[in-house]
Amino acid sequence: MCQELGKPGLQNFREELSGEELEITSTGTTNYYEILRGFDFDFEEQKLRKYDQNIVEYQKQLNQQREEKITLKYFQYLAVLFVERYLDRYFTNRETLLEEFSSFVEDRNKEIETDSEKHFTPTDNDLDKLAFWMATGSGKTLILHINLWQFDRYSTEEVDNIILITPNSGLTNQHIRKFGESGIIARRLDPDRNRSPTQELVVDVVDIHKLREETGEKTIATDVLEGNNLVFIDEGHRGTTGEEWLERREEVIDEGFAFEYSATFGQALSTTDNKTLQEEYAKSIIYDYSYRYFHEDGFGKDYEILNISNTGLDESRRRFLVGNLLAFFEQKQFYEDHPTAVSEYNLEDPLWIFIGRTVSGSSTSNEFQERTTDVLEAVKFFHTVLAQSEQIIDDIHALINADTEITTEDGEDVFANRFQYLRSLEQDPAGLYADILSGVFQTTSSEGIELLDLSDVDGEIALRAEGSDSPFGVINIGDTSAFLDTAAEDIPEIPQRTDQFRQSLFDTIDEPESAVNVLLGAKKFVEGWDSMRVASMGLMNVGKSKGSEIIQMFGRGIRLRGRNRSLKRSTHLPGDHPPDLELLETLNVFGVQADYIKRFEEYLEQEGIPTGHHKRSVDIDVTEDLRDASLKNLRLDTTASFIEVESLELESSNEYQPEVDLYPKAQRLSSVSQGNATRSKQSHTLDDGVLDLLSWDNIYFDMQDYKRSSDYSNLDIRRSTLRDVLYDKNYTLYAPQSFVSVDSVDDVERIERIVRTILRNYISNFYTDHEALWQSKHRNIETLTEADPNIDFDGFTLRAPEDQESLVDEVDRIADNASQLQTRDAESSYPVVIFDRHIYQPQFDQERFASTNEERVKSTPPALNRGEAEFVRNLRSYVETKRPDIHQNVYLLRNQSRDGIGFAEGGGFYPDFILWVTYDDHQYMTFVDPHGMVYSSQLDDPKVKLSSRIKTIEEQIGDDSITLDSAIISRTNYDKLETEHKKDDFHDHHVFFKEDDYISELFDILDI
């Protein structure tokens, strides 16, 4: 699929798309489409555009009934795009698909010498199954819903049944609820229900344990479901754990088509001896976005794992578990102390889960006893915390002072770098203990705990501090009576009571009013439980189970909504963030019995999850005489906000008229330059009679959606104004005659789509023009100082995956020799660009960072890309060789994204560089941006238009001693552009081309 879309592997797509948030453009396509259309894909562009528009429609379907709207992440978009392409080919020409798939595998195998490593040859039956290997928390359920709509779109025949198979009853209920959120009808599978054809999609959901050879009171015979079925299988790895599981689901799939989903295919397949199954999944996994990629892209939480090998409740073990308690309380305290940050970053009230040994296979009394013992040990610990206050206060003192006598192999206390936030509160250990009682255990006294049998709730036992009315925790152990009997015998000092009226604590654990802080023994969350609250894990004797279960358990804790529902940690989001936010963006894992935790870490590594990044800092060296040259700096007055203080009403005017070009665009590849071929385009205005036929209510509501998605909350849009824009002909439309001819109802629908495109462009022009005008009146001149955000940052952080030894060594080599990175000589040995007129040194060159086939050294802030590095080198060469007379008058500064100087143009434009030239007591301040032009609107590009807008800013400031300018350095050669404009036209708008002597041309506009 990667090859079909023009790239050799998924990593190439990640490099192009991972830094971009999905946006729907004024043409109804996404910004991802604009990037992808530049790839060398193997089919016509119109198909790619159609796939993209379908994805926009799927996202809209997902959001129709949701209050919190979903925006697909880049990896979700790609997963859906791959299926779009696959199903299109599958239903259009299955034979050709198989032929090309087989040929592809054959070509790849020719490059592989070892037979055991060769790829399996696909068969016709292999085409009927697609599998998704995607990390827990990456939105597999949303992908499943979209896959249903995709299959319905492309399928050429009706299916007999649409069935979702789940691993257990709990997940069946959860899926039915999730289907409803997406507006999909779903119900429990009932073989006796009338299955007459319906126009609506209806999904029958069943857990795998109900599928049997014969129908019984609680079972369903698979033979009654045979036929042309569309089957979805959640947690598809479960098929690797037993022949019967596999046989049952294969009987249901029968002659139909299947989609499977799992976070752990890799682990499951690595532990099975079923070669046929391994081969089947090797040929059916269409998309791999496992934990490694999920975490590297900044999605989900970071994690920190601590282990102890002690057994028994001795002093070290107790103190270690108190350390887990203190780490959890630190998270709770931060949550309570920072409600604004918690709300902005969509962080949940922390939950601490305690897990005993996970059991696979059939349950036996011995296995239950082992599991019960682990949970009982946890219960004993909580009782100790509340009953032995003096001892726990001593433990807290030792933990806060990193004097626990629990050390690493290097002799360092394992808690040496922990609890910084709690230390900053300057509270004594007794005060911390009192706060833990109230904040975690819902009590003010330390008397011990009691077990509360929730007799009206299956499988739940509440944990409550003696004397408290509110349970602080819940045990989900399955057989509660057996557990309580064992507890009465083993820990008689803990009283047991019965509550006949309390409702389920587990089911309401995500409700805002839930007082539950601790969850014990619940295996339910291993598969499907999707609480976002999990912040800390205590693992006792965990690790004997299959690796796939461990990975899934780990996945429950790294889920994160993130700011603006980005799913990302703040460290991977632009801008400044509240200090200590990482407390709630890090999963704490505390494990007892180190040999099992080592297995746990091995599973993470085998799954491809990096156990950490090696990071080193490199300080910048600010050249003081450059910084202190009294350079004038342009800054936006941040005391006011455009959205908050300005109210706009959309008006119809030719001042904002958009230019909409609907002519199909073609790309050309030639070894000989053929110049710029121009073509005559027809311009049109839409006939008033046709406009009268349109559904203006629908257009109005669509524009309101566009306003919300564009965050134009201070803009008032009226129906009458939208009509005026079209009837007043305040637009320029280029299109073939056939696009605007109206002979049928379908033609009217096409005109309505064109009108929506025109209006989106018009609204965008109107809003950004007013925002830019407002900003021009709220800018002022300041003197550049060391406190400027473009200078006052903590240097560069270089990072490399810990498992990439050569890259780790390179990071260390650079950091260890940071003092040598300030002079030009460093360029021969290090990936730096040194220009003595840049206000600080060094600047890193991204393309020269060491790399392997899979990874590359990365930096924060980002290193210079190719175009940026070329600009710095070319500017350096110009002032050193062609204009040495002004060498000492030139100053350059990298403009940081989000923290630097930005403009409203283009939805938020931060030019890459600020160039100052001082000359005859005058300063020339020019914003320079190396910028690709292939997919820009060229002279109508808002970034290009800044060259004229900035003159308005200059006039508004009224300082005769400074001249403001902006320039674009086109990274695309002029002869590669499809344009009607001459090069001189671009020059007039301060666009210069890299193939020319563009630095000289840049200085020409300064007239120096």
Side-chain angles (χ1 to χ4, degrees):
M1 296 310 301
C2 291
Q3 181 174 283
E4 284 263 296
L5 288 164
K7 292 291 181 180
L10 271 175
Q11 179 63 24
N12 304 97
F13 291 92
R14 291 177 67 211
E15 291 174 353
E16 296 284 349
L17 300 182
S18 61
E20 303 286 336
E21 292 294 321
L22 184 142
E23 298 175 357
I24 300 174
T25 69
S26 58
T27 62
T29 57
T30 71
N31 54 324
Y32 292 160
Y33 162 73
E34 295 299 329
I35 296 172
L36 293 171
R37 64 195 289 245
F39 293 1
D40 187 21
F41 45 87
D42 290 342
F43 49 92
E44 59 272 22
E45 184 180 325
Q46 190 58 35
K47 273 190 175 294
L48 180 64
R49 182 185 183 90
K50 183 60 178 175
Y51 299 154
D52 181 83
Q53 291 173 330
N54 290 346
I55 296 173
V56 171
E57 183 180 330
Y58 302 142
Q59 178 174 283
K60 193 170 184 178
Q61 285 182 268
L62 287 176
N63 288 324
Q64 279 185 347
Q65 299 186 23
R66 284 183 164 86
E67 292 185 8
E68 293 186 359
K69 304 304 182 184
I70 290 169
T71 299
L72 295 178
K73 307 308 173 191
Y74 90 90
F75 58 87
Q76 296 167 333
Y77 176 94
L78 284 176
V80 176
L81 178 63
F82 280 23
V83 176
E84 280 287 303
R85 180 60 180 161
Y86 183 87
L87 292 180
D88 188 6
R89 299 209 58 193
Y90 176 89
F91 285 107
T92 301
N93 195 326
R94 177 183 180 129
E95 293 76 14
T96 302
L97 174 63
L98 177 61
E99 180 182 330
E100 293 183 7
F101 188 8
S102 301
S103 177
F104 174 82
V105 171
E106 183 179 348
D107 291 341
R108 286 297 180 92
N109 283 338
K110 291 177 181 178
E111 302 172 3
I112 302 173
E113 295 182 359
T114 307
D115 289 342
S116 61
E117 296 179 359
K118 292 182 181 293
H119 303 295
F120 300 111
T121 302
T123 66
D124 185 66
N125 289 336
D126 295 325
L127 300 183
D128 298 332
K129 180 180 294 181
L130 296 178
F132 294 81
W133 182 6
M134 296 182 69
T136 300
S138 63
K140 294 189 296 296
T141 301
L142 297 178
I143 300 299
L144 187 158
H145 296 176
I146 293 176
N147 291 157
L148 171 61
W149 293 325
Q150 289 179 294
F151 192 90
D152 183 59
R153 178 186 296 275
Y154 286 103
S155 179
T156 55
E157 56 186 38
E158 289 188 6
V159 297
D160 295 322
N161 302 281
I162 303 175
I163 299 171
L164 168 61
I165 300 175
T166 74
N168 55 57
S169 181
L171 267 178
T172 294
N173 293 332
Q174 177 178 299
H175 271 292
I176 291 173
R177 185 178 72 254
K178 294 289 186 182
F179 274 124
E181 292 174 4
S182 294
I184 298 170
I185 300 173
R187 61 196 181 187
R188 282 186 170 273
L189 176 62
D190 181 355
D192 296 327
R193 183 184 289 119
N194 182 9
R195 290 186 285 142
S196 59
T198 175
Q199 290 184 344
E200 293 184 296
L201 297 177
V202 179
V203 182
D204 290 309
V205 189
V206 62
D207 51 281
I208 188 64
H209 306 293
K210 289 184 168 58
L211 298 178
R212 291 289 187 269
E213 289 186 4
E214 298 180 359
T215 297
E217 183 178 350
K218 295 184 178 180
T219 61
I220 300 170
T222 55
D223 59 4
V224 304
L225 301 173
E226 293 177 354
N228 179 28
N229 297 327
L230 173 59
V231 181
F232 299 90
I233 303 167
D234 188 22
E235 305 297 355
H237 69 279
R238 290 293 299 271
T240 69
T241 61
E243 291 296 327
E244 184 178 357
W245 206 109
L246 182 61
E247 289 175 5
R248 295 291 171 263
R249 66 177 196 171
E250 291 303 315
E251 288 168 359
V252 174
I253 296 171
D254 196 22
E255 301 173 358
F257 194 97
F259 292 90
E260 298 198 28
Y261 311 84
S262 177
T264 55
F265 277 129
Q267 278 301 320
L269 293 175
S270 67
T271 57
T272 182
D273 294 327
N274 189 328
K275 300 299 182 184
T276 301
L277 194 65
Q278 289 178 338
E279 178 178 343
E280 177 183 331
Y281 281 109
K283 291 183 286 189
S284 62
I285 293 176
I286 189 172
Y287 196 72
D288 172 8
Y289 193 73
S290 52
Y291 277 121
R292 172 177 189 158
Y293 308 115
F294 187 71
H295 186 269
E296 282 181 356
D297 284 339
F299 296 107
K301 296 178 184 176
D302 276 322
Y303 50 89
E304 188 161 351
I305 303 173
L306 293 180
N307 323 313
I308 189 172
S309 59
N310 304 58
T311 57
L313 198 58
D314 58 12
E315 180 176 339
S316 294
R317 180 170 175 165
R318 185 200 64 246
R319 186 164 287 179
F320 181 78
L321 293 176
V322 174
N324 194 177
L325 168 62
L326 200 59
F328 173 67
F329 172 70
E330 186 175 41
Q331 294 173 312
K332 290 282 290 185
Q333 189 66 48
F334 181 89
Y335 179 86
E336 296 295 333
D337 290 347
H338 298 83
T340 301
V342 162
S343 176
E344 181 181 355
Y345 288 82
N346 292 306
L347 298 169
E348 299 288 337
D349 186 10
L351 177 69
W352 184 12
I353 58 177
F354 241 94
I355 307 119
R357 177 174 300 165
T358 307
V359 181
S360 61
S362 60
S363 177
T364 66
S365 58
N366 183 56
E367 287 173 333
F368 175 77
Q369 183 64 38
E370 288 179 342
R371 181 178 62 204
T372 301
T373 299
D374 291 335
V375 177
L376 281 176
E377 288 298 325
V379 171
K380 288 180 185 178
F381 166 69
F382 289 125
H383 184 69
T384 299
V385 170
L386 271 70
Q388 299 181 22
S389 59
E390 291 185 6
Q391 181 62 69
I392 301 303
I393 290 172
D394 286 344
D395 288 338
I396 292 173
H397 181 273
L399 287 157
I400 290 293
N401 291 281
D403 188 25
T404 64
E405 298 183 351
I406 305 173
T407 62
T408 65
E409 294 179 357
D410 298 329
E412 181 183 33
D413 193 290
V414 295
F415 296 100
N417 297 311
R418 302 296 293 260
F419 313 126
Q420 299 296 331
Y421 181 71
L422 291 182
R423 290 192 183 108
S424 73
L425 302 180
E426 298 182 350
Q427 195 168 16
D428 62 34
L432 285 173
Y433 178 72
D435 288 346
I436 288 172
L437 289 182
S438 60
V440 176
F441 297 104
Q442 319 286 353
T443 186
T444 56
S445 61
S446 55
E447 302 176 21
I449 67 170
E450 59 188 17
L451 298 173
L452 203 62
D453 180 16
L454 306 184
S455 58
D456 205 36
V457 181
D458 290 338
E460 292 187 28
I461 301 169
L463 291 171
R464 185 170 67 184
E466 289 192 68
S468 173
D469 294 328
S470 179
F472 68 85
V474 59
I475 303 172
N476 199 308
I477 197 67
D479 189 346
T480 55
S481 59
F483 178 84
L484 290 170
D485 289 344
T486 304
E489 182 178 339
D490 195 26
I491 42 178
E493 67 273 21
I494 298 180
Q496 298 184 13
R497 310 188 192 284
T498 300
D499 188 329
Q500 298 179 342
F501 306 103
R502 196 177 298 272
Q503 300 300 308
S504 171
L505 297 177
F506 181 80
D507 290 346
T508 59
I509 210 164
D510 288 324
E511 298 297 326
E513 62 272 13
S514 174
V516 173
N517 289 319
V518 181
L519 172 63
L520 285 82
K523 187 185 175 184
K524 286 186 178 181
F525 63 79
V526 172
E527 287 179 325
W529 185 53
D530 60 355
S531 174
M532 307 293 287
R533 288 187 58 190
V534 179
S536 285
M537 283 186 179
L539 307 181
M540 305 183 71
N541 293 314
V542 171
K544 290 186 175 181
S545 66
K546 296 187 182 301
S548 57
E549 289 185 347
I550 291 176
I551 296 300
Q552 286 210 322
M553 177 181 61
F554 178 77
R556 299 302 137 191
I558 64 169
R559 294 169 179 263
L560 187 68
R561 282 196 178 91
R563 189 180 189 182
N564 297 325
R565 300 185 68 87
S566 65
L567 310 185
K568 285 191 173 184
R569 307 182 290 281
S570 59
T571 52
H572 281 68
L573 296 174
D576 295 327
H577 307 285
D580 300 311
L581 197 64
E582 66 273 7
L583 285 172
L584 293 182
E585 295 182 333
T586 300
L587 171 67
N588 289 314
V589 181
F590 284 70
V592 176
Q593 192 65 289
D595 56 332
Y596 297 148
I597 296 298
K598 286 179 181 177
R599 291 186 187 182
F600 180 84
E601 291 178 335
E602 288 172 3
Y603 284 130
L604 296 182
E605 292 170 354
Q606 291 172 9
E607 184 67 18
I609 307 173
T611 55
H613 276 81
H614 180 70
K615 300 179 181 179
R616 294 286 302 275
S617 297
V618 176
D619 293 333
I620 60 171
D621 183 18
V622 178
T623 308
E624 293 185 9
D625 64 329
L626 298 184
R627 182 198 65 204
D628 298 334
S630 297
L631 296 175
K632 297 185 177 184
N633 199 23
L634 184 67
R635 279 290 171 185
L636 180 66
D637 181 0
T638 58
T639 60
S641 166
F642 176 67
I643 288 181
E644 294 174 356
V645 304
E646 287 288 316
S647 296
L648 300 175
E649 181 177 332
L650 189 70
E651 58 189 46
S652 177
S653 168
N654 60 10
E655 184 178 352
Y656 313 108
Q657 71 174 36
E659 181 179 293
V660 177
D661 185 356
L662 300 182
Y663 274 87
K665 297 176 176 61
Q667 294 179 309
R668 180 174 58 213
L669 179 64
S670 175
S671 60
V672 179
S673 175
Q674 299 180 23
N676 293 329
T678 62
R679 62 186 176 187
S680 176
K681 297 182 180 180
Q682 292 178 288
S683 63
H684 303 273
T685 56
L686 300 174
D687 185 83
D688 289 357
V690 175
L691 295 176
D692 291 339
L693 300 175
L694 305 184
S695 174
W696 285 98
D697 282 344
N698 289 341
I699 292 171
Y700 169 75
F701 290 128
D702 189 66
M703 292 308 106
Q704 292 293 337
D705 286 341
Y706 177 68
K707 165 187 162 180
R708 282 189 290 270
S709 66
S710 301
D711 199 22
Y712 297 162
S713 58
N714 56 331
L715 175 64
D716 183 23
I717 300 176
R718 302 189 178 186
R719 286 180 178 84
S720 58
T721 307
L722 298 176
R723 293 174 62 95
D724 288 344
V725 170
L726 271 298
Y727 284 89
D728 293 344
K729 315 305 179 188
N730 286 324
Y731 59 88
T732 300
L733 174 65
Y734 295 105
Q737 180 61 45
S738 60
F739 277 36
V740 295
S741 298
V742 177
D743 299 312
S744 67
V745 173
D746 290 341
D747 293 333
V748 175
E749 292 177 353
R750 184 180 64 251
I751 296 297
E752 187 166 313
R753 291 195 296 270
I754 293 173
V755 166
R756 293 176 193 228
T757 298
I758 292 171
L759 288 173
R760 290 190 193 106
N761 280 272
Y762 183 92
I763 292 170
S764 177
N765 287 354
F766 179 89
Y767 190 89
T768 57
D769 191 87
H770 280 77
E771 184 178 19
L773 180 62
W774 182 88
Q775 288 187 354
S776 70
K777 297 176 182 178
H778 291 78
R779 293 187 186 273
N780 50 54
I781 292 293
E782 303 172 349
T783 300
L784 184 70
T785 69
E786 62 184 359
D788 189 275
N790 280 322
I791 301 174
D792 185 23
F793 63 98
D794 296 329
F796 291 89
T797 298
L798 306 184
R799 65 186 185 276
E802 289 181 343
D803 57 353
Q804 300 286 325
E805 183 176 350
S806 63
L807 302 189
V808 169
D809 291 343
E810 175 66 1
V811 167
D812 286 338
R813 184 181 75 89
I814 296 171
D816 290 341
N817 295 282
S819 61
Q820 301 178 26
L821 305 181
Q822 317 304 323
T823 64
R824 184 81 63 86
D825 292 340
E827 290 189 356
S828 62
S829 303
Y830 300 95
V832 294
V833 180
I834 304 299
F835 178 29
D836 64 346
R837 304 308 297 172
H838 193 277
I839 290 175
Y840 62 81
Q841 308 297 344
Q843 282 286 294
F844 287 97
D845 184 345
Q846 179 65 48
E847 288 207 339
R848 293 185 60 212
F849 271 142
S851 63
T852 64
N853 290 333
E854 300 176 345
E855 301 286 353
R856 180 185 292 273
V857 172
K858 297 179 180 178
S859 74
T860 305
L864 302 177
N865 63 33
R866 180 187 299 176
E868 294 161 352
E870 287 176 356
F871 168 75
V872 176
R873 294 190 184 100
N874 289 335
L875 177 62
R876 179 180 68 190
S877 175
Y878 176 83
V879 299
E880 289 180 352
T881 61
K882 294 186 177 181
R883 292 296 303 273
D885 59 307
I886 62 169
H887 180 272
Q888 298 302 311
N889 303 88
V890 171
Y891 305 81
L892 187 66
L893 181 61
R894 179 81 181 278
N895 188 36
Q896 300 290 341
S897 175
R898 305 300 175 192
D899 293 328
I901 300 177
F903 301 88
E905 282 75 5
F909 176 35
Y910 289 76
D912 289 323
F913 296 97
I914 307 170
L915 172 67
W916 289 269
V917 182
T918 60
Y919 195 79
D920 288 342
D921 297 324
H922 194 86
Q923 290 190 18
Y924 298 82
M925 184 182 188
T926 305
F927 295 89
V928 183
D929 192 72
H931 177 61
M933 298 293 290
V934 171
Y935 304 119
S936 80
S937 52
Q938 299 178 8
L939 298 188
D940 287 324
D941 189 328
K943 297 179 180 180
V944 174
K945 288 184 174 181
L946 179 61
S947 64
S948 59
R949 173 72 69 184
I950 205 166
K951 290 303 180 181
T952 303
I953 298 174
E954 178 183 324
E955 182 179 350
Q956 181 71 31
I957 290 169
D959 186 341
D960 293 335
S961 66
I962 185 169
T963 297
L964 300 179
D965 261 307
S966 74
I968 299 294
I969 309 302
S970 174
R971 296 169 58 185
T972 310
N973 288 358
Y974 175 72
D975 62 6
K976 299 295 183 182
L977 294 180
E978 183 177 314
T979 180
E980 296 177 344
H981 301 294
K982 298 183 182 300
K983 185 177 284 189
D984 287 344
D985 296 329
F986 284 94
H987 289 174
D988 291 342
H989 290 78
H990 296 186
V991 178
F992 307 103
F993 294 88
K994 68 176 185 177
E995 70 268 23
D996 299 330
D997 185 8
Y998 67 84
I999 300 294
S1000 294
E1001 294 171 338
L1002 174 61
F1003 275 75
D1004 285 344
I1005 69 171
L1006 304 181
D1007 197 23
I1008 297 176

